Amino acid sequence: MANDTVAGKASWADEYEDEVDTLQPQVYTDDDGNKVIIEFRDNDDGKKVKVTRKIRAKLVIEHVNKAVAQRKKWDKFGEEKGKKAGPDLSTTTIGENIPLKLGSSTGKSVEAAAEEEAVDKIQSQLKTKNITCRICKGEHFTSKCPYKDTMQPYDEIASTIENVKLDDSEGLGDANPSKYTPPHLRKGAAGGAGDSLRDQKRDDSATLRITNLSEDVTDNDIYDLFSRFGSIARVYLARDRETSLCKGFAFVSYNDREHAEKAQQAINGYGYDNLILRVEFARST
């Protein structure tokens, strides 16, 4: 009778084994097809906690490089030798899949990519604006104008004519008493030899037009460059009204046409201040 009672009583060793088995990780699949992993861990307070993870398998078809696809078929080696393909959850933590998209600037430096972006931005802005040539007023860039070497810009022609008129008007009478006025130009003076001179048209046959000048050129530079060929009657250097810098062209008038021809032959094509000068006879207006 005593033997039956002892035989029906559970052993303490069996209870310990059951407790140890319940602390082992458990892996199974639930009714929804999710993989459930139950683990027991010690938290920061030293207490044992139960951690349950559910993993849902999702089939994703992706197109990869052939070399990458072949590497995935290689047999595992080292400590993973003999295990099935794919990552092992006991040794590998699966993180978020981040796709890498390579743009068109691959292989280019940051400076080159920024420069291309700036050029594209400028081109997009120019599409909304009308491009006007400063020389012939055509719809193209000034650097691509077919008349850039033979024609003077319209704006410079207008300013030149205006400046010439202003210079001529300075020689006429002025109401300011501080300036000297020739007797034949004073009010009430009888007409004399000056009237006939004013009626005559100015002779521009000995006037040269110099272009492709740098903005640092001065009147004295032009005079020193052309005075070696003969007597100069007048030097006009076109300047910007705001900056007072040279606008790139000038006029030189000689007293003798022969001197103007010598200067034109000598200076035309001459290198001055890192620029090639162009000298031609001014067209009479």
Side-chain angles (χ1 to χ4, degrees):
M1 193 64 128
N3 291 335
D4 295 339
T5 304
V6 174
K9 199 173 183 180
S11 174
W12 64 270
D14 295 337
E15 294 178 359
Y16 176 76
E17 290 178 359
D18 294 340
E19 183 179 356
V20 173
D21 293 339
T22 57
L23 298 180
Q24 293 297 326
Q26 300 178 13
V27 180
Y28 64 91
T29 304
D30 60 5
D31 298 338
D32 297 332
N34 299 328
K35 186 176 182 180
V36 181
I37 302 176
I38 301 176
E39 297 177 338
F40 294 91
R41 300 177 183 175
D42 295 334
N43 59 10
D44 297 337
D45 298 334
K47 297 181 180 180
K48 193 171 294 295
V49 295
K50 179 181 178 182
V51 180
T52 302
R53 292 187 298 162
K54 290 186 178 182
I55 302 175
R56 175 175 294 179
K58 183 179 180 181
L59 180 61
V60 178
I61 300 176
E62 61 179 352
H63 298 278
V64 297
N65 191 288
K66 292 183 179 180
V68 177
Q70 291 178 358
R71 284 201 303 269
K72 290 184 177 181
K73 297 179 181 180
W74 290 354
D75 295 335
K76 293 185 177 182
F77 56 89
E79 296 181 358
E80 299 292 323
K81 185 176 182 180
K83 295 185 179 180
K84 62 180 181 178
D88 188 0
L89 298 177
S90 61
T91 58
T92 306
T93 302
I94 301 176
E96 182 181 359
N97 185 21
I98 302 176
L100 177 62
K101 294 182 180 180
L102 301 177
S104 59
S105 60
T106 304
K108 300 179 182 178
S109 62
V110 178
E111 292 78 5
E115 183 178 357
E116 289 185 359
E117 184 179 356
V119 172
D120 294 340
K121 185 177 180 181
I122 293 174
Q123 290 179 353
S124 62
Q125 292 177 354
L126 291 178
K127 289 181 180 178
T128 59
K129 297 182 179 180
N130 295 328
I131 301 175
T132 304
C133 176
R134 292 187 290 106
I135 297 177
C136 65
K137 300 301 181 181
E139 295 184 355
H140 54 258
F141 290 101
T142 305
S143 60
K144 297 182 180 180
C145 181
Y147 307 105
K148 64 180 181 179
D149 296 329
T150 59
M151 183 176 177
Q152 182 181 353
Y154 282 151
D155 297 337
E156 294 182 0
I157 293 175
S159 62
T160 302
I161 295 174
E162 183 179 354
N163 291 328
V164 171
K165 290 181 179 179
L166 292 175
D167 292 343
D168 292 341
S169 63
E170 290 178 357
L172 301 177
D174 194 349
N176 191 353
S178 62
K179 294 185 178 179
Y180 172 76
T181 303
H184 66 279
L185 296 179
R186 296 174 183 174
K187 293 182 179 181
D195 295 337
S196 60
L197 292 176
R198 284 183 294 169
D199 295 337
Q200 293 180 0
K201 188 177 180 180
R202 187 174 59 187
D203 185 13
D204 292 335
S205 61
T207 300
L208 298 177
R209 179 176 180 269
I210 305 97
T211 56
N212 205 26
L213 294 170
S214 68
E215 61 180 12
D216 298 328
V217 174
T218 62
D219 295 341
N220 293 333
D221 296 335
I222 299 297
Y223 187 86
D224 295 339
L225 184 62
F226 286 88
S227 61
R228 69 187 73 173
F229 301 101
S231 175
I232 295 178
R234 176 174 171 269
V235 174
Y236 169 73
L237 181 65
R239 295 179 179 274
D240 187 88
R241 293 184 179 180
E242 297 181 357
T243 62
S244 298
L245 298 176
C246 176
K247 297 177 67 174
F249 67 99
F251 291 92
V252 176
S253 298
Y254 285 92
N255 294 321
D256 192 349
R257 182 176 174 82
E258 293 182 359
H259 298 163
E261 291 178 352
K262 292 180 181 179
Q264 193 271 337
Q265 295 175 1
I267 304 298
N268 187 30
Y270 176 75
Y272 187 78
D273 200 7
N274 298 325
L275 294 175
I276 304 299
L277 300 182
R278 179 181 178 135
V279 182
E280 57 187 356
F281 281 93
R283 299 177 183 177
S284 58
T285 55

